[in-house]
Amino acid sequence: LTPHSPHRRLGVWLIGARGSISTCVAYGLAGLREGLLEPVGIATEYEPLSRLSLASLDDIALGGHDVCMRDLSLSAAELVKHGILSSDLVAASAPHIAAFETRIRAGALDEPDVGVADLDPRSARLGGAPPREQIARIAQDIDEFRRELDLRRVVVVNVASTEAFRHELSEWSDLDAFERALDTGRSQPASMLYAYAALTSGCPYVNFTPNRGSSPAALRELARQKKLPHCGSDGKTGETLVKTVLAPLFASRALRVLAWQGYNMLGNRDGEVLADVSHRETKVKNKNEALRSILNDERLHTHVGIDFVPSLQDWKTAWDFIHFEGFLGAKMSLQFTWSGSDSCLAAPLVIDLARLADFAAENGEAGEMLHTASYFKAPIGGGSHDFHAQFDALVAYAERHLAPGRSRGASRERGSTPRA
Amino acid sequence: LTPHSPHRRLGVWLIGARGSISTCVAYGLAGLREGLLEPVGIATEYEPLSRLSLASLDDIALGGHDVCMRDLSLSAAELVKHGILSSDLVAASAPHIAAFETRIRAGALDEPDVGVADLDPRSARLGGAPPREQIARIAQDIDEFRRELDLRRVVVVNVASTEAFRHELSEWSDLDAFERALDTGRSQPASMLYAYAALTSGCPYVNFTPNRGSSPAALRELARQKKLPHCGSDGKTGETLVKTVLAPLFASRALRVLAWQGYNMLGNRDGEVLADVSHRETKVKNKNEALRSILNDERLHTHVGIDFVPSLQDWKTAWDFIHFEGFLGAKMSLQFTWSGSDSCLAAPLVIDLARLADFAAENGEAGEMLHTASYFKAPIGGGSHDFHAQFDALVAYAERHLAPGRSRGASRERGSTPRA
Amino acid sequence: LTPHSPHRRLGVWLIGARGSISTCVAYGLAGLREGLLEPVGIATEYEPLSRLSLASLDDIALGGHDVCMRDLSLSAAELVKHGILSSDLVAASAPHIAAFETRIRAGALDEPDVGVADLDPRSARLGGAPPREQIARIAQDIDEFRRELDLRRVVVVNVASTEAFRHELSEWSDLDAFERALDTGRSQPASMLYAYAALTSGCPYVNFTPNRGSSPAALRELARQKKLPHCGSDGKTGETLVKTVLAPLFASRALRVLAWQGYNMLGNRDGEVLADVSHRETKVKNKNEALRSILNDERLHTHVGIDFVPSLQDWKTAWDFIHFEGFLGAKMSLQFTWSGSDSCLAAPLVIDLARLADFAAENGEAGEMLHTASYFKAPIGGGSHDFHAQFDALVAYAERHLAPGRSRGASRERGSTPRA
Amino acid sequence: LTPHSPHRRLGVWLIGARGSISTCVAYGLAGLREGLLEPVGIATEYEPLSRLSLASLDDIALGGHDVCMRDLSLSAAELVKHGILSSDLVAASAPHIAAFETRIRAGALDEPDVGVADLDPRSARLGGAPPREQIARIAQDIDEFRRELDLRRVVVVNVASTEAFRHELSEWSDLDAFERALDTGRSQPASMLYAYAALTSGCPYVNFTPNRGSSPAALRELARQKKLPHCGSDGKTGETLVKTVLAPLFASRALRVLAWQGYNMLGNRDGEVLADVSHRETKVKNKNEALRSILNDERLHTHVGIDFVPSLQDWKTAWDFIHFEGFLGAKMSLQFTWSGSDSCLAAPLVIDLARLADFAAENGEAGEMLHTASYFKAPIGGGSHDFHAQFDALVAYAERHLAPGRSRGASRERGSTPRA
């Protein structure tokens, strides 16, 4: 275990670099550096994860791809209007954001969306090119980022919009078959091309989206072959998070869940994309799967709705109704309303995952990062969906890797809510 | 580890035998015997707890004390009217209930309530008698129950109403001092006299109420001296249960809880008693304590309200509002409404605890049953209030005690919601 | 204005006589006669409507059509199980229900449902017969009911399930065209055949369903020609009722509603039928229309979901989320959860409407009963959807028709919630 | 009816000029003048009220009293932070606000608060002075405001914090007695001194607070004597507003409300003041009274809680639970969560009321403005609490006073939600 040089920074390459999650990551890191923010929500800044030798938040450099051309400052102005970012923070972060902006390149648009969306023409062109050509361009952009900033390592994180659903292709189950398919030029999901490019460029890969990314067996084989850690998919930020916290209660108490109805409303770009049925399919499947796996009752009646409500903007609101039966046949209910800023919930998880992927690579760990399951709706590698069981696994991982020399005094206290 | 005789039954002595929890325990056990009910809510009937050599549900005999004289059939008729019990169940259970009824004795009314409530005059008289006299009468009733039914063991379970709050007396911290105080005749909470009588009669003791019971150091010393297991206090059935499931989420995700407001409404006898401030104090303290312990943030703003709403009868409804801060200072909220029949939620826990206390005694375990913490708002012996951590401890206990010979096929599957 | 003979009863002919609304009407009237119930929910029993010379609740005789064969006692047993009816009430009502049961005839199944549903074969046969034949049979059944019980008048009330949506046919806009279409044997919605049969038999007609019934111009012409009053459609019992009470608030206060999302869950036969998109269409349209009409803002984002959740049985639960903007651009929200027994909410409205239709006929009023708009989601004759404006119109109607000689002392007080 | 000169402005004198309602009034009027805002929430800007000859929003000049010294720009900065005001609006409004700031004078602190709060020492001194001296100073400040700006008329509006409860004094029932009490120097609520000063200075008076103000008979006599219109008290902005919209539904439908529990949480200065029981009493009384008056059932169980939750700041959140009984004894519920910015809800009502008071004075109307009842929790002059009935009365008033010559085209459409 070689300690990394303190003088070379960690690069985080964001696919979807102009989206609201990336915007929150960028302004958040800037705000922390400028002393305007506390690291609330970044679990790796609190005990016990903070005791791992993770890359410092001050040593993270950002770059990325996007398929649209909108200035980050425009996204930021919108988030100010929606009450997410403060105008003081935006002003103070300007130099950091300008630097990030210069490191954003035109990405590859997923082929089914080519011609549909009003986006960067270079992305549309690239999305229509043969897969091998797309991969080469992606890899080249990442390499330039690494070289220009003399980065110690680059972690690639996919925070792009949800892709249209595609049925599984036979070549996804085997790396050789996938390589051949790439050679023949058969169209593949952009998220898989990004994952392929990342892994072949020596970058750990994090898939925060419900897209295929590195989940298919072919890509998982590639990660093992390249001895690189990766994780995903579909960040667990809101309603599903609460679901996987509450559902184990019913199982533990032997209460029978009769119906679990979940209605999600969201108003940002994510909501707009998910308003389309073909883009919604994977997301709904992931949300349902988690519940069924925990409750393990084939009679369970469950429904997940996702509706686009533009006026909500980034404030996702979800209502869940849980109908359950207790002793003596009594029918009872629990209902909850979740109201949160999706981007503010996602951004700190992206930071955590980039640091954990870097740490795993530093430790020579390859393949699925099973200890990160608590971050995802559909963890690669499977396992329990019970949030507490997943989080316990993360704590156990941290305890196994604790740097004995690290001073406890310097880090935050475990298991407590953050303090000022 | 000596297996118990299959021919001698387990006695469960209920303090508050005419209350709605006891009524649900009695009708529930009768319904299970008559094949009219499934054991939904009785966790000890499902994997992995079902694999322990616990007393069979068919082999439980009920008796108890109460301070009121109302027929169980009247309580049952009310529960039918409130939609808790079905009239079919009540009809089919009549012989079992009649037998139970003959084994209910006048209990000791807590002294501050003597003269206040319109109850059994014998209970009022007994409540006014010197403590030693009360203890002797309680012990005598339990002994008769054991001898008459030739019971293998009697577990005493307190499911009575909440007592008026009393400031801690110095004699509670030490058994000798407590014995001397009993000798002098100083008034003590009825719940402590019951606990004392149970333990000195050789009975494991379960305190499902927020009353003092066996929680003070003097009684805990007595349990150890008598080599008896005991547990409590304040059954975790509803809003606090959900609280201790949800609160760890915020701690794990490093989200800062700004305010947690909980409003409870209940309409049964429990609600009526708690409408009085002096009776409410302990309950509110227990509810608050659990939250503060998990979130561990002295700035947390929290409030617990308990209001009596007669029309709700046994259907407790609670609304919690959780205001929290995430990354970038975003303020978000989670609110939930819990609507449950308190007695239906409590009754299976009482059955679980009686079986677990019997099992612990059978295994020669003495003192606080730390593995039952998930059942209580204020677990004797302390420890984490995190429900999942508490339940993990119970599962670990079960795994340590698993009867290797027991057929897995015969029991229900672990971690799943109950099935028909 | 000739006072009706006190010795001859009012007949109410229920289409859907075995459904849960009819069951609640029948047991409710029986319970009132037996002194087991109060008339809670029957607005015509309270001031000021109670001061009209309406048919006495004791003088209502029930009969009807249905397309299924299930015994009313089976429906009642289910409602007992779901906590809607008490078993005492069911027992005491038995003779009344038995009499009603003998007066239920096989109705005409709507043609698109012939062959789909597992129902009374006579109904399926009748539903496949030429329209004129169906009408003749329906009319004959109603006539027999009137003659056998020597009824003063029969009011026909449609409380059947929602029919599959059909596009408007040209013949619906004109009575002559409709008559010719009946002659040619072209298939028509069963609800229109019932309405036609009722009106040609001299019966006032109430359409409590979202089905076409007497709403098309052809039938409205028929009612005027026959000098009969009629009203409908789609009883306003739950979520839409609350909507039309709340929405005017936003209009009055000049607050801008940005989005109004409504999610309905129901578990009874109605829910099962509405789970099918073709049957759901009209209902959703009616729910949306009411809101749009009150808020009158073409930018309003609104969505109505209806989901079948079997475990809820007759307990309809709806969650509405209202996002609105106030002064200074502040975005605020109001959310509500409605949890009600649909049949218990509908049954008293059916009783009110039958009495009001009888009263209108008695007074020689013909055509649309505009004063009953507050009872419907899609009032025939249109007008405001604002519940309070609609109710004011009903009160004004009552005030115009007040029987001066009627003793005020005998009736309940106006504008108060019912008392015991 | 003399039309007012278009060249002389209307003065609005705000008692509590530095509070958040006043801040929202001031920035709101500035934003409207600068074209940055729409008049959403100002009902007098929409049909039919907009057709009255009301003072133009551009012609309102602000001044006022306060007992604290905090700069308006500080209050505004806080409202920006809480997401109420946008920083653009604050910047553009600066000159208007600076002008307002120069016209704020030290007010009279209510005597029970003298010495308690950390406020403007001049206000504390004035609050301790004899009543006649306080009145003289208040009147002098108002006069200067009128003269310096050559105002056509000054309307005085009380938007100060809730005063401590005081039992009714005998002199409040009679103007002569009150005058004598003022002469003797007996301490009176500050709100009554302000009302006295306003009316004796010839100013119409609006009491937006739950304080006594002009409600006592003595002050009402004074208003009539001075031929001045006045209205109040306790602005109906949030939970009570929804209550008085929903409660009539239950009365109209003859549904029996069993319990209505309302829990209010608020975090601004108002919440802080109301956290004190003596200050809370009047508010709770007003909230309860409205409900009882509409439902008119002495058995109704009702509770109103008000809790201070600092993190909510200006965002008031309330949860109401309504338990009701329908036909057949079915128990049902409606619950709602209201989440609104109290100041944004109150500010446009203050603007409406100031204009309506000016209009009434212009028309020579004196005494209680009964047509403004929809704006208040405890309308002076009593009458129905039913919001829709109250609003109908306002519309009827407007229709009686419509200026026939006013072009309809220039005003907004009636009964619709505001448009962009």
Side-chain angles (χ1 to χ4, degrees), chain C residues 38 41 236 245 253-256 294-299 332-333 335-337 339 374 388 415 417-420, chain D residues 38 41 236 245 253-256 294-299 333 335-337 339 374 388 415 417-420:
Chain C
E38 293 173 73
K236 188 154 80 171
V245 167
R253 277 282 165 98
L255 299 165
R256 179 182 288 158
I294 296 170
L295 294 177
N296 189 18
D297 181 351
E298 73 283 351
R299 295 174 317 167
M332 317 190 233
S333 71
Q335 55 181 285
F336 68 82
T337 302
S339 176
S374 68
H388 291 290
T417 37
R419 295 135 192 268
Chain D
E38 293 175 72
K236 189 154 81 170
V245 167
R253 276 281 166 97
L255 299 165
R256 180 183 289 157
I294 296 171
L295 295 175
N296 190 16
D297 181 350
E298 73 285 349
R299 295 174 318 167
S333 70
Q335 54 182 283
F336 69 82
T337 303
S339 176
S374 67
H388 292 290
T417 38
R419 293 136 194 265

Side-chain angles (χ1 to χ4, degrees), chain D residues 239-375:
Chain D
E239 186 228 11
T240 307
L241 176 63
V242 180
K243 264 181 169 150
T244 62
V245 167
L246 283 174
L249 163 63
F250 298 96
S252 299
R253 276 281 166 97
L255 299 165
R256 180 183 289 157
V257 176
L258 303 166
W260 194 310
Q261 303 282 115
Y263 299 97
N264 295 271
M265 306 181 301
L266 61 177
N268 53 14
R269 172 86 187 129
D270 195 25
E272 208 174 338
V273 168
L274 292 171
D276 178 67
V277 170
S278 73
H279 289 78
R280 188 163 60 214
E281 198 159 322
T282 313
K283 195 120 194 173
V284 169
K285 198 180 142 292
N286 288 349
K287 280 169 164 281
N288 252 323
E289 179 54 27
L291 203 56
R292 293 201 169 277
S293 138
I294 296 171
L295 295 175
N296 190 16
D297 181 350
E298 73 285 349
R299 295 174 318 167
L300 174 67
H301 182 96
T302 178
H303 170 83
V304 175
I306 302 182
D307 287 309
F308 180 46
V309 178
S311 61
L312 286 172
Q313 296 154 339
D314 196 58
W315 293 94
K316 184 172 160 186
T317 299
W319 181 72
D320 271 42
F321 177 80
I322 307 147
H323 201 209
F324 65 98
E325 184 186 327
F327 195 47
L328 292 162
K331 287 191 172 182
M332 316 190 234
S333 70
L334 174 63
Q335 54 182 283
F336 69 82
T337 303
W338 169 268
S339 176
S341 158
D342 239 28
S343 308
C344 291
L345 289 161
L349 307 187
V350 165
I351 294 170
D352 279 349
L353 289 165
R355 294 172 104 184
L356 290 169
D358 172 45
F359 180 83
E362 200 69 33
N363 281 275
E365 300 168 13
E368 301 84 7
M369 295 164 62
L370 298 175
H371 57 286
T372 62
S374 67
Y375 287 91

Side-chain angles (χ1 to χ4, degrees), chain B residues 52-54 354-365 397 401:
Chain B
L52 295 171
S53 291
L54 302 172
R355 296 171 103 185
L356 289 169
D358 174 44
F359 180 82
E362 201 68 35
N363 280 276
E365 300 168 10
Y397 171 90
H401 288 78

Side-chain angles (χ1 to χ4, degrees), chain A residues 15-59:
Chain A
I15 303 161
R18 298 188 185 284
S20 56
I21 298 180
S22 293
T23 308
C24 286
V25 168
Y27 281 91
L29 288 174
L32 288 164
R33 262 168 239 177
E34 298 295 326
L36 293 171
L37 289 179
E38 293 174 72
V40 174
I42 305 180
T44 48
E45 282 292 293
Y46 295 86
E47 287 272 356
L49 304 180
S50 57
R51 292 169 57 213
L52 294 171
S53 290
L54 302 172
S56 160
L57 294 181
D58 289 345
D59 288 338

Side-chain angles (χ1 to χ4, degrees), chain B residues 42-164:
Chain B
I42 305 181
T44 48
E45 282 293 293
Y46 295 86
E47 286 271 359
L49 304 180
S50 58
R51 291 170 58 212
L52 295 171
S53 291
L54 302 172
S56 159
L57 294 181
D58 289 346
D59 287 340
I60 292 176
L62 301 177
H65 280 118
D66 207 308
V67 297
C68 81
M69 298 180 292
R70 191 170 51 170
D71 260 27
L72 278 168
S73 59
L74 282 178
S75 302
E78 254 182 40
L79 290 172
V80 168
K81 222 175 122 196
H82 305 170
I84 311 285
L85 298 181
S86 78
S87 40
D88 289 357
L89 173 66
V90 169
S93 306
H96 302 277
I97 299 307
F100 175 29
E101 184 91 50
T102 65
R103 298 189 299 262
I104 301 179
R105 302 284 169 266
L109 188 60
D110 190 39
E111 216 205 8
D113 287 330
V114 172
V116 173
D118 176 26
L119 299 166
D120 191 328
R122 293 167 298 173
S123 293
R125 268 198 307 278
L126 184 56
R132 288 287 187 199
E133 195 178 320
Q134 297 188 45
I135 290 166
R137 258 287 296 287
I138 294 166
Q140 185 188 332
D141 290 338
I142 297 173
D143 280 347
E144 276 178 28
F145 174 54
R146 175 164 29 204
R147 277 184 290 106
E148 281 176 17
L149 298 183
D150 186 28
L151 300 166
R152 178 171 54 75
R153 175 178 287 110
V154 174
V155 174
V156 173
V157 185
N158 193 341
V159 287
S161 293
T162 303
E163 295 173 349

